[in-house]
Amino acid sequence: MRVTAPGATLPPVGLPGLDPALSRLVAVDGVAADSGDTRTWHVLDNGDALAERGITPVGTIVAVHGNPTWSYLWRALVSTSLERAEAGRTAWRVVAVDQLEMGFSERSGLRRTLAQRIADLGALVEELGLPGPIVTIGHDWGGPVSLGWAVENRDRLAAVIALNTAVHHPDGAPLPFALRVATARGMLAAGTTGTTAFLDTTLALADLDPAVRSAFRAPYATVARRRGIGGFVADIPATSTDESTPALRRMSTGLRRLEVPALLLRGPKDPVFGEAHLDDLTDRLPHADVHRFEGAGHLIAEERPYADVVLDWLDEKVVDAEDPRTAQDSGSTRVARDNDGASSAARAADEADAGSLWDALDARRDDDDTAVIDMSTSRDGRPLRVSWRQLASRVDEIAAGLDAFGVRAGDRVSLLVQPGPTLTAALYACLRIGAVVVVADRGLGIRGLSRAVRGAVPDVVIGEVAGLAAARALGWPGRRISAASLPAAGSRALGVEASLSDLARAGRGRALPAPPAPDADAAVLFTSGSTGPAKGVVYTHAQLTALRDTLAAHFGVTADTGLVTGFAPFALLGPALGTRSATPAMDVSAPRTLTAAAVASAVRASDARMVFLSPAAVANVVATASALGADDRAALERVETFLSTGAPVGIDLLRRAQRLMPNAVAHTPYGMTECLLVADVTLPEIERAAGDRGVCVGRPLGTGQVRISAIDADGRATGEPTTDAGVTGEIVISAPHLKQGYFRLYLTDREARRGLPDRWHRTGDVGHLDADGRLWVEGRLPHVITTSDGPVTPVGIEQDAETVDAVARAAAVGVGPVGRQVVVAVVEAGARRPGLASPELTDAVRAATRQRLAAVLVVPVLPTDIRHNSKIDRTRVAAWAERLLAGEKPTAP
């Protein structure tokens, strides 16, 4: 049915996902410019369906679409709420409106401003007699309309939710490019009303099923029925003189007074509403829960299962918060919560007593001994040395200069500088004034790095030329500061406002602002991206200080220790530990560029007793050991402690590294970006513990704790966390230096703490504890293979396969449906082309393991992550193996 008349009507039957029984027409007395007339709205409303089932809702969700969609956008929320109510879960009435002039509501011909639309919505709510509590949800320009009503009706409000929207437009700032085109003279009427160009462009922002795309088009078949689309675009308040600007400003100012729970969901691939719009919203609603759905775009409601997300969030933040019974947990979880609550005050006191990350730097500010050695920069043929006095002075100057530049506590500063004295000074200067450092290295790859930096929305970017050029070319946000002084033409080309030297001069003699509180955010460190898009991990000052203290206490670091580190996360801890540090000549974002000679040179220059390397770096150091001279070997013999962390380290590799540093105790700490030090084990301990499945990573460090949440037949971690030996499941951890949370990833945060007390974290790793309390890592939770005989972890199988002489590395993956998967071994064994292994190799691999293998496949090289160059991408390998075994032509995974 083609709808052409201007009156309100019900949608045609048969639109996918839309139950016609939930559509209704509502006559509403007009308000404001519409006074004296009656307007008819089309809405989706599950209220009558709930009543027919004898279900009383706890409240009402009022859902407002944007331009050029209609209430069809919210069909999943309407139907999912009803389904959950029928299943005995929390019941919410959902009223999804078609704004007047839009969807299947009446076409009146009235030009509707933002203020008018807010008033229209209020009149509809009154006509429907919706009592409190009310939750508003809006998308696109439905965001300002729904939030405008919320600001004016705070007494009836339970929560606010917004998807990909904006509530403020700075004076003088241009509109997003897509809107500049749509509002251009000569284009507005033709693109929005005269043709379907604006509608087509919006619907092309998501990969929609053709039938769904047709459903969105259904109300807009004629020029007359598309005039509301044009009116919406024409009403965009782009300047201070536009008619709707006052209403937008009233709403955006009023948001700062909202104290109800708030949820902001965003698809980052949105050409209209950018990260700056989300940043502005979080500034106005600092208590809001935020989740960015990586890979989703403007039509996020069509690309992600938002309905369950919204309803689960309402259960947690609105329903449970109002019900005192939900506070009564049971069993060990309740005990853990009570114990944690009793210790919260003590923990706060401990954080205050722990001091600051820069305390050691302050204590040695009059010391002319070496603090940092830059092996990549030489003066008079020798590596550049920076004393404690010079470093402390430079940190103070840059800190004061940043303050003069306008950087304030809480501002995010992205650091795109290679480890060395410059990065060290910039980082500690940012921390000193309370700025939040954003660390995402080139090991993420240019796409991953760009995604991370843009998602963090830095206020300032400090970078070397390559980083600044990328920022310019890729449109990263933030004011720009160059690490080194640049020619005027270069600064202009890169958009650089100042150099670190300029800031240091400006800050010389200037007073520093008050230091940040222990619980203030200090850093956003991005994960490697080896298990999906890199995630920003937030640390407070207290948590970084606890990391420093744990490292110093466990490994006995003193002022005389000296540290050589080729592992990016720890390359900046030397000043915090009060010991000299050197980074070998290498590309820290590419660990396999590190050679044995470079390590020996750094050890010799720093007289270091501790060496910290990533597994990939260790592999190349061992591989290049033949180039070591007598002086190099003598330097390495003075090393007392050797650490390798970041990914599992094979015992053979540790032994070979040990031979290069024969007097060092080899450690392989277990940790992750979320908690950089969890457990530790030495090579002798590993050798004594040999015989179990997986990689032994030892016992928890300091006051840290480890538990195991058993996995079920479907590979899900559902068991109550336990310390029982022999239980295979997800590794669950707690430590004073555990991260604060994830940056704008509410759902990831919620899953990481699912069923756990405060300050505990689900790692996503699987393993078990042995009878001596040692932790064994057996792989990643997403890589668990769910066979008909039960779940199988991959690492033990891989270890078996790697005992075959011809096999260099192996990956064990599952192929088939969950619960009926078969195990496939994919190995590196000198093959030039991927495909099935030879019968001889297949027999050898099968004989090496007691796990039944459906097939053995060979590849020239297994795919690994970029940062570590060592974590095998089992998800990618599994997908490739499934394709190959289904008969596809063999290609590289």
Side-chain angles (χ1 to χ4, degrees), residues 648-718:
V649 185
I651 190 169
D652 181 61
L653 181 59
L654 277 179
R655 286 169 176 155
R656 294 166 68 193
Q658 173 85 76
R659 288 195 286 272
L660 290 179
M661 294 170 272
N663 297 312
V665 177
H667 294 255
T668 173
Y670 165 66
M672 59 220 63
T673 309
E674 293 86 345
C675 189
L676 291 165
L677 291 172
V678 175
D680 181 45
V681 68
T682 64
L683 177 56
E685 289 170 333
I686 294 173
E687 291 175 322
R688 289 194 299 270
D692 216 331
R693 306 286 283 176
V695 176
C696 180
V697 296
R699 298 177 179 84
L701 279 78
T703 59
Q705 300 178 70
V706 172
R707 302 283 186 272
I708 303 295
S709 173
I711 50 178
D712 61 19
D714 292 329
R716 298 172 302 184
T718 55

Side-chain angles (χ1 to χ4, degrees), residues 375 383 564 582-586 591-606 611 613 617-636 639 660-661:
M375 299 301 297
V564 168
T583 300
M586 65 177 295
R592 286 183 176 171
T593 62
L594 181 61
T595 65
V599 173
S601 180
V603 169
R604 191 165 50 247
S606 60
V611 173
L613 306 175
V618 174
N620 201 57
V621 166
V622 168
T624 57
S626 60
L628 292 173
D631 289 347
D632 295 330
R633 293 187 181 276
L636 293 177
V639 175
L660 290 179
M661 294 170 272

Side-chain angles (χ1 to χ4, degrees), residues 69 724 830:
T69 57
D724 292 348

Side-chain angles (χ1 to χ4, degrees), residues 29-385:
D29 289 340
V31 292
D34 234 358
S35 294
D37 290 304
T38 299
R39 302 302 182 193
T40 304
W41 297 61
H42 167 253
V43 301
L44 300 179
D45 185 357
N46 64 8
D48 288 345
L50 290 171
E52 289 168 3
R53 292 159 174 79
I55 299 172
T56 302
V58 298
T60 304
I61 302 171
V62 176
V64 186
H65 67 85
N67 188 31
T69 57
W70 55 287
S71 59
Y72 186 69
L73 184 78
W74 306 113
R75 64 195 181 281
L77 183 60
V78 178
S79 59
T80 302
S81 177
L82 183 57
E83 291 165 4
R84 288 165 64 121
E86 290 174 328
R89 301 181 67 180
T90 305
W92 286 93
R93 179 180 179 182
V94 181
V95 177
V97 309
D98 283 1
Q99 297 196 59
L100 292 172
E101 323 301 330
M102 302 291 289
F104 289 97
S105 285
E106 182 178 338
R107 302 305 195 265
S108 70
L110 180 69
R111 188 174 66 83
R112 296 185 184 274
T113 62
L114 175 59
Q116 180 66 47
R117 290 192 176 279
I118 293 170
D120 291 340
L121 182 62
L124 174 66
V125 169
E126 294 306 317
E127 178 62 33
L128 291 172
L130 302 180
I134 292 177
V135 175
T136 65
I137 182 170
H139 169 256
D140 186 84
W141 291 106
V145 175
S146 63
L147 292 169
W149 182 90
V151 165
E152 294 177 2
N153 294 271
R154 284 180 287 169
D155 57 325
R156 302 167 65 184
L157 198 63
V160 294
I161 305 169
L163 285 64
N164 283 55
T165 191
V167 298
H168 173 69
H169 187 73
D171 289 341
L175 287 172
F177 177 75
L179 294 182
R180 291 204 302 275
V181 172
T183 56
R185 181 174 298 178
M187 288 292 294
L188 196 155
T192 61
T193 304
T195 69
T196 59
F198 187 81
L199 178 61
D200 295 341
T201 299
T202 302
L203 297 179
L205 295 177
D207 184 16
L208 301 178
D209 181 274
V212 171
R213 186 178 292 109
S214 295
F216 274 113
R217 289 172 171 277
Y220 304 116
T222 66
V223 169
R225 292 192 62 83
R226 289 193 294 271
R227 288 201 175 98
I229 296 176
F232 240 131
V233 174
D235 188 52
I236 294 173
T239 70
S240 60
T241 59
D242 286 332
E243 189 172 0
S244 283
T245 295
L248 186 71
R249 288 179 175 172
R250 280 195 304 274
M251 178 271 299
S252 60
T253 300
L255 286 181
R256 297 188 186 278
R257 297 191 296 273
L258 282 188
E259 297 178 352
V260 296
L263 176 65
L264 306 175
L265 302 179
R266 170 167 168 74
K269 294 172 64 176
D270 188 339
V272 180
F273 301 111
E275 298 293 345
H277 293 117
L278 177 62
D279 214 36
D280 173 71
L281 265 169
T282 59
D283 179 61
R284 297 171 191 279
L285 296 168
H287 62 286
D289 294 310
V290 182
H291 190 85
R292 299 172 71 256
F293 288 94
E294 201 62 60
H298 181 70
L299 292 174
I300 183 176
E302 296 298 319
E303 298 178 90
R304 294 294 185 271
Y306 80 97
D308 278 315
V309 170
V310 165
L311 295 169
D312 286 345
W313 178 82
L314 287 172
D315 278 350
E316 177 187 352
K317 299 296 175 125
V318 177
V319 179
D320 289 354
E322 294 295 327
D323 186 353
R325 292 172 299 176
T326 60
Q328 297 180 14
D329 299 321
S330 61
S332 59
T333 301
R334 172 64 188 273
V335 172
R337 290 185 191 275
D338 288 346
N339 288 341
D340 185 81
S343 65
S344 60
R347 186 169 64 238
D350 289 343
E351 290 176 354
D353 293 341
S356 303
L357 205 62
W358 54 87
D359 285 346
L361 183 59
D362 277 349
R364 301 191 68 172
R365 64 170 50 252
D366 295 325
D367 191 336
D368 290 319
D369 285 348
T370 299
V372 181
I373 302 172
D374 186 354
M375 299 301 297
S376 63
T377 303
S378 62
R379 287 186 180 173
D380 301 325
R382 302 179 64 185
L384 173 65
R385 293 174 178 268

Side-chain angles (χ1 to χ4, degrees), residues 409 432-434 512-516:
R432 173 60 185 81
I433 64 171
L512 289 168

Side-chain angles (χ1 to χ4, degrees), residues 378-401:
S378 62
R379 287 186 180 173
D380 301 325
R382 302 179 64 185
L384 173 65
R385 293 174 178 268
V386 177
S387 71
W388 291 99
R389 184 191 302 271
Q390 290 170 321
L391 181 60
S393 175
R394 192 66 166 179
V395 167
D396 286 352
E397 290 171 353
I398 294 175

Side-chain angles (χ1 to χ4, degrees), residues 707-840:
R707 302 283 186 272
I708 303 295
S709 173
I711 50 178
D712 61 19
D714 292 329
R716 298 172 302 184
T718 55
E720 183 74 21
T722 180
T723 57
D724 292 348
V727 176
T728 297
E730 184 176 18
I731 299 168
V732 179
I733 62 172
S734 178
H737 50 282
L738 176 68
K739 50 83 176 165
Q740 182 69 15
Y742 291 103
F743 184 74
R744 294 183 179 172
L745 290 172
Y746 160 74
L747 295 178
T748 308
D749 256 330
R750 190 177 70 183
E751 174 57 25
R753 65 176 189 269
R754 174 176 52 85
L756 302 175
D758 185 36
R759 303 297 301 146
W760 282 79
H761 171 73
R762 292 182 177 273
T763 65
D765 290 336
V766 289
H768 68 274
L769 294 166
D770 65 18
D772 294 317
R774 292 173 299 220
L775 176 63
W776 295 74
V777 177
E778 302 179 56
R780 293 284 299 167
L781 189 61
H783 303 155
V784 170
I785 304 163
T786 57
T787 73
S788 57
D789 296 324
V792 174
T793 55
V795 170
I797 304 167
E798 294 164 355
Q799 291 171 324
D800 293 341
E802 289 168 3
T803 63
V804 176
D805 289 341
V807 175
R809 286 196 303 176
V813 298
V815 171
V818 173
R820 299 196 303 277
Q821 289 183 321
V822 295
V823 183
V824 175
V826 183
V827 302
E828 291 178 6
R832 298 177 62 185
R833 294 186 180 87
L836 292 171
S838 68
E840 295 78 14

